[in-house]
Amino acid sequence: MTIENFPNHELDVAELAMALEQMTRFMIRLPSVDKMSFTSLSVLHTLTLKSPLRLTELAATEQVTQSAITQLVTRLERDGLAERRADPKDGRVVQVHITPEGAKVIESRRDERIAGLGRYVDGLSLEQQQSIAAAIPALQRLAELGNGKQP
Amino acid sequence: MTIENFPNHELDVAELAMALEQMTRFMIRLPSVDKMSFTSLSVLHTLTLKSPLRLTELAATEQVTQSAITQLVTRLERDGLAERRADPKDGRVVQVHITPEGAKVIESRRDERIAGLGRYVDGLSLEQQQSIAAAIPALQRLAELGNGKQP
DNA sequence: CAATTTATATAAGTTACTGATATAATTGGC
DNA sequence: GCCAATTATATCAGTAACTTATATAAATTG
C-alpha cells in the first residue's frame, strides 16, 4: 500500500497523516515526564472527556484487558486521581470518577504542550499561522468523526 | 495557566493543541495493535528517520535509561527488526541499524493510519478538506521546528 | 601512560501488564 | 418467581519492560 492508493480526496491523506505523525512525535515530548504510564494518562484523559465510566467501558476504549483496568484504577484511586463509586441501578457496576486532582494532571500537561507549541508557532510566518488557524475547524470535525461523535 | 495566557499569535495555540490532541487520540487507535511496546515502536520510528544511531543517542531521544535501550535493542535484534554493528572509529560504540523488516513494521502501521484517516476524510466537505490541505505545509514546518530541524 | 571520562552491558528489583479463574449481581426463559 | 446463563468486577500467578546500581572496556586528557 503506497501513497498512490489514496488519490480520491481534495486532500492528500498520506501527507496529512505524515504531518500529523511528525506533530505528534514533537508534542508528545513537550510535557515534563512524570512517572505515570502511558495507559494511566490515557485513562485519565478519557475520564476528562467523560466521567464517570464503567471499568468495562474503559477497558474497551483503552484496548487493554479488564484485569489491567481494574488494577490501573486501583492505582489511580490510591494516588487520589480517580474514585470508584457504586452504580445505584446495577450492583455489579463500578463507576470510575475522575477527581479534581486527576483532572489537574491532564490539565497541567495540556498547558505544558500549549506553552511549548506556542514557542514554535512564533517561528512561523503570519501566512503559515493563518493557514493553520483556518484549518482548525476542519481538524476538529475530523477528530470528532474519528472519535465516533455524532454529527 | 489557561487559554487566555497565549493571545499573541494569529493562531489560537490552545485550540490548535486541543485539535491535535483529539486527532492524536483518534489516530493512535487506527493501527491494529500488535504486541510491541510503545517504546519499541518509537525507537523503530526514530530509526526510520535516521539510522544508524548509537544506543546513547536513542536513550536521549526516547527519554528512557541507557539500560532500557540496551535491553530494548536486544529484543529488536532477537526479532530481526534492528541490528547492532560496531563503529570502526570508536570501539566503545554500538551503531543500531534498522532492518528492512523493522522498517516494514513502521510502514505498515503508517499505511493503516492513512487508510483509516482516509475513511473519515471522506466525511468532510470539500471546503474543509481544502482548508486542511492548505495548512499542511505550515504543519510540516511547525513539526520541523519542534523536532529540532534546521531551517 | 595513568587517571578520568565515555559507551555499553549486566544484575537485581519493581511495575504494569496478560490469561485464567473466582465472585457477585442481573437478566431471561419457562 | 426461580434457575441457568450472562455480565461486571476482582484476584492470582506469571511475564515483559522498565528502573537503579554496578561492571567492563575503549577513548581521551593532562
Side-chain angles (χ1 to χ4, degrees):
Chain A
M1 204 184 278
T2 58
I3 288 172
E4 290 72 21
N5 296 99
F6 306 98
N8 300 314
H9 303 102
E10 286 303 307
L11 177 56
D12 185 328
V13 178
E15 272 206 341
L16 173 61
M18 283 292 290
L20 292 175
E21 185 182 300
Q22 294 300 112
M23 282 303 299
T24 300
R25 182 177 173 78
F26 150 42
M27 291 187 68
I28 209 170
R29 289 166 221 278
L30 287 179
S32 58
V33 186
D34 33 46
K35 44 184 171 179
M36 293 195 63
S37 78
F38 171 78
T39 313
S40 297
L41 286 170
S42 182
V43 164
L44 280 183
H45 184 229
T46 301
L47 288 174
T48 62
L49 301 177
K50 189 171 177 210
S51 171
L53 285 172
R54 302 173 170 202
L55 289 177
T56 316
E57 294 172 319
L58 283 173
T61 57
E62 304 300 334
Q63 302 182 338
V64 293
T65 61
Q66 171 264 312
S67 175
I69 291 292
T70 294
Q71 299 170 56
L72 192 157
V73 169
T74 301
R75 294 194 298 274
L76 291 179
E77 213 168 14
R78 177 201 65 195
D79 298 339
L81 306 177
E83 286 174 2
R84 280 181 168 87
R85 293 187 204 156
D87 184 334
K89 309 279 181 190
D90 188 334
R92 298 167 299 180
V93 168
V94 167
Q95 301 278 10
V96 184
H97 294 250
I98 193 166
T99 64
E101 200 179 338
K104 209 171 293 177
V105 169
I106 298 304
E107 193 191 328
S108 72
R109 288 177 62 87
R110 180 173 296 152
D111 287 343
E112 289 186 79
R113 275 196 300 272
I114 293 171
L117 192 56
R119 284 192 286 278
Y120 292 105
V121 165
D122 290 334
L124 295 179
S125 72
L126 227 77
E127 293 73 24
Q128 287 172 326
Q129 293 189 28
Q130 286 165 345
S131 73
I132 293 177
I136 288 181
L139 285 174
Q140 288 170 337
R141 179 75 192 120
L142 184 54
E144 277 177 16
L145 291 171
N147 288 316
K149 200 163 170 179
Q150 299 309 323
Chain B
M1 206 186 277
T2 57
I3 289 172
E4 290 71 24
N5 295 100
F6 306 99
N8 302 314
H9 303 101
E10 286 305 307
L11 177 57
D12 185 328
V13 178
E15 273 207 340
L16 174 61
M18 284 293 289
L20 292 174
E21 186 181 300
Q22 294 301 111
M23 282 301 300
T24 300
R25 181 176 174 80
F26 151 40
M27 291 187 68
I28 209 170
R29 289 166 221 278
L30 288 178
S32 58
V33 185
D34 34 45
K35 44 184 172 180
M36 292 194 63
S37 78
F38 172 78
T39 313
S40 297
L41 286 170
S42 183
V43 164
L44 281 182
H45 184 229
T46 300
L47 288 173
T48 62
L49 301 176
K50 189 173 178 207
S51 170
L53 285 173
R54 302 174 171 202
L55 288 179
T56 315
E57 294 172 319
L58 283 173
T61 57
E62 304 301 334
Q63 302 182 342
V64 293
T65 61
Q66 170 263 313
S67 176
I69 291 292
T70 294
Q71 299 170 56
L72 192 157
V73 168
T74 301
R75 294 194 298 274
L76 291 179
E77 212 168 16
R78 176 200 65 195
D79 298 338
L81 305 177
E83 286 174 2
R84 280 183 168 87
R85 293 188 204 155
D87 184 334
K89 311 278 181 189
D90 188 334
R92 298 167 299 179
V93 168
V94 166
Q95 300 278 9
V96 183
H97 294 250
I98 193 166
T99 64
E101 200 179 338
K104 208 171 293 176
V105 169
I106 298 304
E107 193 191 329
S108 71
R109 288 177 61 89
R110 179 174 295 153
D111 287 344
E112 287 186 80
R113 274 196 300 271
I114 293 171
L117 192 57
R119 284 192 286 278
Y120 293 104
V121 164
D122 291 333
L124 295 179
S125 72
L126 227 76
E127 292 74 24
Q128 288 172 325
Q129 294 189 29
Q130 286 165 344
S131 73
I132 293 178
I136 288 181
L139 286 174
Q140 288 170 337
R141 180 73 192 121
L142 184 54
E144 276 177 17
L145 291 172
N147 288 315
K149 200 164 169 180
Q150 298 308 324

